[in-house]
């Protein structure tokens, strides 16, 4: 029996990879325009990094991590998200010593042990961005605008932006107490997970996907009503900056996010087009994370988007690349010329194909059609002798004569 891929881990086949490159290139373009630079960090980290940052009571740490002991008896984990590793690197390389302000982005695979379904996999990919060293709400708005600009760049109106504030260590305890008081009388209506969350992390009950919990927490107090003055001002300024730049958003007071490190601004880009997998991108401010990981007290904000979900949203569009030219030959005598032209045209930036196996002209033309070449040319004895050939534009069959010289052909293909 042939060996198959691990459940929930996908191959991205050639017909799909064009779509992925399109997404990645658009992200790089938009992020770099905003002054972000790429950072590449390992896919494996010490397990402790994720326990300390994401939080022991989060779904990720409780049940989704790929953790194992390596041959040196160290506990290592395949990264379930990107922020922890990026902040570990930021601290480890003392990037803050020169300038606390860093604007970083990353892309690559993440790993979570989840039940695979449409838009939810065990190896999936994120593109994320982080800004450190700024508390000013202007930067929150810039990060949100950048994320929305990315979706605009790839031509999507969906998803839409929802924002909330989760307060800070000053105001969240008061809110937590108010929420616990509210939940106390409704405990029997919560799912087993949420009964447990009630004591360790009651905010997470607002995020529970079970219908019973959604019903039981209806009318629960919202963090937004309990923000301290500083957090309230901060949130108002974020909204003001978004309004100032004409950005569209809605406020979702129930959004709590699954990672424990968030403070103040949190946000999601949501869509109704992917069923239960409604979040396409998500993030927030994490003013306590860097110090929690042993670094100085420096604030941060960031997001990550799920590339598989973005790819699904792009729908049926065709991203495969077509050859500019297919060079066919009548016989073996023209193959040298064809190969020289192919090499020269490729070196000048064109995508060119030819036959490798001495196939019949008919079968070469079938291949040109199958590859959806923009132009084709047939080189026979006559063409070789005169140094001129007829180039056929495949979409309408129009023939253009040109010299069998790279200069002329490049002009014709342009
Ligand atoms: P969800 O509520 O769907 O589980 P999440 O809150 O766990 O999402 P984050 O940790 O915020 O997600 O990750 C950011 C983005 O990464 C998500 O919005 C989503 O697009 C994507 N993502 C998260 N988990 C997966 C997964 N298992 N498969 C595919 N994409 C994922
Ligand atoms: Mg999740």
């Amino acid at each position: 029996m042939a060996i198959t891929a691990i459940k929930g881990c996908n191959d991205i086949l050639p017909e799909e990879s064009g779509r992925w490159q399109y997404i990645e290139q658009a992200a790089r373009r938009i992020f770099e325009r905003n002054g972000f630079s790429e950072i590449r960090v390992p896919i494996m980290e010490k397990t402790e990094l994720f326990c300390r940052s994401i939080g022991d009571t989060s779904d990720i740490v409780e049940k989704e991590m790929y953790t194992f002991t390596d041959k040196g008896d160290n506990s290592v984990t395949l990264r379930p998200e990107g922020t922890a590793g990026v902040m570990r690197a930021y601290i480890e390389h003392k990037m803050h010593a020169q300038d606390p302000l860093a604007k970083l982005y990353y892309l690559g695979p993440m790993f979570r042990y989840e039940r695979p379904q449409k838009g939810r996999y065990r190896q999936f990919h994120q593109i994320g961005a982080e800004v450190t060293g700024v508390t000013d709400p202007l930067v929150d708005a810039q990060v949100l605008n950048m994320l929305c600009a990315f979706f605009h760049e790839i031509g999507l109106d969906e998803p839409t932006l929802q924002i909330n504030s989760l307060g800070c260590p000053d105001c969240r305890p008061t809110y937590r107490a108010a929420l616990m008081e509210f939940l106390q009388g409704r405990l029997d209506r919560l799912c087993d997970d949420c009964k447990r969350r009630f004591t360790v992390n009651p905010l997470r009950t607002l995020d529970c996907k079970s219908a019973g919990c959604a019903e039981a927490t209806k009318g629960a107090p919202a963090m937004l009503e309990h923000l301290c003055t500083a957090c309230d001002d901060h949130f108002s300024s974020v909204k003001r900056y978004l309004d100032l730049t004409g950005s569209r958003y809605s406020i979702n007071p129930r959004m709590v996010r699954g990672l424990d490190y968030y403070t103040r601004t949190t946000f999601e880009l949501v869509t109704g087009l992917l069923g239960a997998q409604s979040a396409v991108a998500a993030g927030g401010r994490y003013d306590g994370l860097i110090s929690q990981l042993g670094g100085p007290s420096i604030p941060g904000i960031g997001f990550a988007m799920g590339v598989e979900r973005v790819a699904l949203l792009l729908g049926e569009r065709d991203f495969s690349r077509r050859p500019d030219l297919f060079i066919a030959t009548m016989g073996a005598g023209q193959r040298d010329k064809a190969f020289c032209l192919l090499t020269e045209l490729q070196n000048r930036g064109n995508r060119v194909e030819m036959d490798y196996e001495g196939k019949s002209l008919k079968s070469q033309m079938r291949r040109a059609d199958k590859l959806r070449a923009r132009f084709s040319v047939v080189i026979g004895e006559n063409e070789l002798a005169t140094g001129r050939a007829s180039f056929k534009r495949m979409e309408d069959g129009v023939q253009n004569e040109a010299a069998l010289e790279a200069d002329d052909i490049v002009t014709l293909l342009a």
Side-chain angles (χ1 to χ4, degrees):
M1 258 229 303
I3 299 169
T4 57
I6 295 172
K7 185 174 167 191
C9 300
N10 300 314
D11 300 307
I12 296 149
L13 299 175
E15 57 265 31
E16 271 299 299
S17 60
R19 178 185 301 261
W20 281 65
Q21 289 173 3
Y22 174 76
I23 295 169
E24 289 164 2
Q25 284 159 9
R28 287 181 190 281
R29 229 173 14 251
I30 298 293
F31 294 2
E32 299 208 357
R33 199 182 279 174
N34 279 269
F36 286 68
S37 308
E38 185 180 3
I39 179 165
R40 301 189 187 201
V41 294
I43 283 170
M44 280 191 298
E45 298 275 359
K46 293 178 181 165
T47 302
E48 192 198 345
L49 174 68
F50 301 113
C51 301
R52 233 158 85 185
S53 55
I54 301 170
D56 284 324
T57 63
S58 64
D59 279 358
I60 294 179
V61 173
E62 272 186 346
K63 50 193 186 200
E64 296 174 359
M65 293 208 302
Y66 277 91
T67 297
F68 59 97
T69 308
D70 71 7
K71 290 191 166 55
D73 226 20
N74 308 299
S75 179
V76 300
T77 296
L78 299 182
R79 62 180 185 193
E81 57 101 50
T83 305
V86 171
M87 289 308 130
R88 195 259 318 129
Y90 174 82
I91 298 164
E92 185 169 341
H93 301 287
K94 298 196 173 51
M95 290 172 67
H96 48 82
Q98 277 203 332
D99 185 357
L101 170 59
K103 294 194 272 184
L104 307 168
Y105 76 89
Y106 60 85
L107 41 89
M110 306 292 159
F111 304 85
R112 295 185 195 177
Y113 195 80
E114 299 201 71
R115 197 170 64 76
Q117 53 199 287
K118 183 179 172 190
R120 190 177 297 283
Y121 312 100
R122 290 183 175 172
Q123 173 174 319
F124 64 100
H125 297 74
Q126 286 185 340
I127 303 179
E130 320 283 354
V131 182
T132 59
V134 190
T135 31
D136 196 304
L138 185 148
V139 105
D140 302 44
Q142 188 186 346
V143 164
L144 289 168
N145 284 345
M146 178 169 93
L147 188 51
C148 295
F150 162 79
F151 285 100
H152 182 76
E153 178 85 357
I154 61 170
L156 293 177
D157 314 322
E158 287 263 356
T160 53
L161 174 62
Q162 297 188 349
I163 61 171
N164 191 21
S165 174
L166 286 183
C168 69
D170 280 345
C171 51
R172 207 180 310 164
T174 328
Y175 168 63
R176 193 184 136 122
L179 180 63
M180 284 179 89
E181 198 184 309
F182 172 89
L183 293 172
Q184 191 75 61
R186 296 167 169 78
L187 273 183
D188 51 331
R189 291 160 62 192
L190 299 180
C191 72
D192 289 346
D193 264 349
C194 283
K195 285 199 180 86
R196 202 172 36 80
R197 283 176 185 143
F198 173 74
T199 33
V200 293
N201 197 345
L203 271 68
R204 295 295 317 285
T205 57
L206 299 179
D207 192 34
C208 182
K209 304 252 173 9
S210 100
C213 294
E215 188 56 39
T217 57
K218 223 179 229 166
M223 183 69 235
L224 285 183
E225 300 151 5
H226 290 78
L227 294 178
C228 60
T229 314
C231 287
D232 197 37
D233 288 349
H234 193 273
F235 191 57
S236 300
S237 297
V238 174
K239 289 184 288 184
R240 198 181 69 80
Y241 281 120
L242 289 174
D243 293 336
L244 199 64
T245 47
S247 307
R248 286 209 315 246
Y249 61 91
S250 58
I251 294 165
N252 176 358
R254 290 180 60 97
M255 181 205 308
V256 294
R257 309 288 311 118
L259 292 72
D260 285 356
Y261 51 61
Y262 287 122
T263 51
R264 292 191 166 171
T265 318
T266 47
F267 51 92
E268 284 187 356
L269 272 105
V270 295
T271 176
L273 304 175
L274 298 177
Q277 278 56 255
S278 57
V280 182
R285 192 164 260 295
Y286 45 83
D287 292 346
L289 177 61
I290 296 173
S291 60
Q292 206 172 303
L293 290 176
S297 173
I298 292 175
I301 178 169
F303 64 78
M305 65 176 114
V307 183
E308 282 81 358
R309 294 187 193 176
V310 178
L312 282 168
L313 279 184
L314 283 173
E316 293 301 304
R317 266 197 264 170
D318 180 15
F319 293 92
S320 55
R321 285 201 52 198
R322 310 165 56 177
D324 299 310
L325 176 66
F326 188 95
I327 307 175
T329 52
M330 294 295 285
Q334 299 93 42
R335 279 168 63 84
D336 287 0
K337 178 68 181 172
F339 185 51
C340 288
L341 278 177
L342 170 117
T343 308
E344 217 177 322
L345 290 168
Q346 285 172 340
N347 288 342
R348 297 178 58 161
N350 290 285
R351 195 174 165 113
V352 187
E353 296 276 352
M354 69 179 278
D355 162 55
Y356 296 124
E357 296 162 289
K359 292 240 174 83
S360 71
L361 184 59
K362 195 166 158 207
S363 121
Q364 293 181 62
M365 293 320 289
R366 260 206 306 273
R367 187 160 163 76
D369 269 332
K370 193 174 150 213
L371 294 171
R372 298 187 310 124
R374 287 172 48 230
F375 285 87
S376 69
V377 63
V378 181
I379 307 181
E381 277 172 22
N382 199 24
E383 284 77 13
L384 206 55
T386 59
R388 296 188 70 79
S390 187
F391 291 77
K392 179 172 161 189
R393 194 162 66 200
M394 301 293 272
E395 63 178 22
D396 55 10
V398 170
Q399 305 269 1
N400 273 295
E401 207 192 279
L404 285 176
E405 299 291 341
D407 278 343
D408 294 55
I409 303 174
V410 166
T411 315
L412 185 126
L413 296 178

